[in-house]
Amino acid sequence: GNSVTQMEGPVTLSEEAFLTINCTYTATGYPSLFWYVQYPGEGLQLLLKATKADDKGSNKGFEATYRKETTSFHLEKGSVQVSDSAVYFCALSDGGSARQLTFGSGTQLTVLP
Amino acid sequence: GAGVSQSPSNKVTEKGKDVELRCDPISGHTALYWYRQSLGQGLEFLIYFQGNSAPDKSGLPSDRFSAERTGGSVSTLTIQRTQQEDSAVYLCASSLVLRQGGWNTEAFFGQGTRLTVV
């Protein structure tokens, strides 16, 4: 079955630090990969996505590259801000019969001023 | 509507009571999902609707849980005889289904219903 393994949190960084949140996956077929973000008190929002190998998703300074050879989709940002404090979820959709998103367990990020 | 709408936003209920959670998806989205997010844990898939039918009910935790969708739009998740372990945030999401057998579009989530069973 499908699975997503995500870096355990919580992660605490100082403002302007470099962020990496690791995500690896197991799936049949050719999944699409997503990062969702959940800000405090809000619902899940799509942050970025990639639909095929070597695609790079990017949004709000965040980037993630779909690496088929390593089955990874690590989230990176060069300089985090306090406003980036949130829970980040890696997810996949394999477009097969499951037709559902498989989520990682989430990583809590706290950015200190 | 502009986004996925869930109601109520918060629900406190006594153990043993039944509750109904409502989800109003984005207009035109044929796929609808229910997930559960327990404190400190990730998202747990509950059920998926394609139109009014539910081809995948594999995530429902027990027979106390049921869901229906009518008119290809609004969905209701019902929990009977609630237990304290049912306390969680219940999230609904909807998406387009681009083609049979494969879709790679994102799901849009509502803000969730926080259920507390006391």
Side-chain angles (χ1 to χ4, degrees):
Chain A
N2 297 336
S3 67
V4 176
T5 302
Q6 195 173 331
M7 177 174 156
E8 293 287 330
V11 174
T12 302
L13 296 173
S14 297
E15 205 165 22
E16 299 184 2
F18 184 86
L19 169 71
T20 300
I21 301 177
N22 289 339
C23 172
T24 57
Y25 67 90
T26 303
T28 56
Y30 302 95
S32 290
L33 302 174
F34 306 86
W35 277 99
Y36 279 84
V37 59
Q38 187 176 31
Y39 297 105
E42 300 185 15
L44 278 169
Q45 303 173 26
L46 179 67
L47 179 60
L48 55 83
K49 67 176 182 179
T51 58
K52 61 183 187 297
D54 300 324
D55 268 2
K56 177 185 285 188
S58 61
N59 186 25
K60 299 182 181 179
F62 290 89
E63 292 183 341
T65 301
Y66 189 141
R67 301 285 187 200
K68 196 171 190 299
E69 64 276 13
T70 55
T71 61
S72 65
F73 193 55
H74 304 321
L75 182 68
E76 296 182 336
K77 186 173 186 181
S79 176
V80 293
Q81 306 300 312
V82 173
S83 57
D84 294 327
S85 297
V87 181
Y88 292 82
F89 293 91
C90 185
L92 73 82
S93 151
D94 69 359
S97 58
R99 294 192 183 177
Q100 69 210 43
L101 286 163
T102 302
F103 284 88
S105 58
T107 302
Q108 171 76 55
L109 170 67
T110 302
V111 180
L112 303 176
Chain B
V4 178
S5 177
Q6 290 187 249
S7 60
S9 54
N10 280 285
K11 177 72 175 178
V12 180
T13 190
E14 292 181 353
K15 179 180 172 181
K17 300 282 190 183
D18 297 352
V19 294
E20 283 191 354
L21 313 180
R22 177 189 167 105
C23 173
D24 203 336
I26 292 173
S27 178
H29 281 192
T30 55
L32 186 146
Y33 311 80
W34 284 98
Y35 288 84
R36 179 168 70 174
Q37 185 180 23
S38 301
L39 187 63
Q41 298 185 25
L43 277 77
E44 174 188 11
F45 169 77
L46 298 178
I47 189 170
Y48 155 72
F49 286 92
Q50 173 55 30
N52 291 335
S53 64
D56 191 347
K57 303 180 183 178
S58 61
L60 293 177
S62 76
D63 59 7
R64 296 186 294 104
F65 286 72
S66 63
E68 65 175 14
R69 189 179 185 195
T70 56
S73 181
V74 173
S75 176
T76 303
L77 177 69
T78 301
I79 309 173
Q80 295 178 310
R81 305 181 302 282
T82 52
Q83 304 295 312
Q84 288 186 329
E85 62 262 28
D86 299 335
S87 297
V89 176
Y90 289 81
L91 293 170
C92 177
S94 70
S95 71
L96 292 169
V97 177
L98 296 180
R99 62 186 185 279
Q100 185 69 23
W103 61 276
N104 288 315
T105 187
E106 66 267 27
F108 294 84
F109 283 80
Q111 293 198 340
T113 294
R114 182 174 297 279
L115 175 66
T116 304
V117 182
V118 297

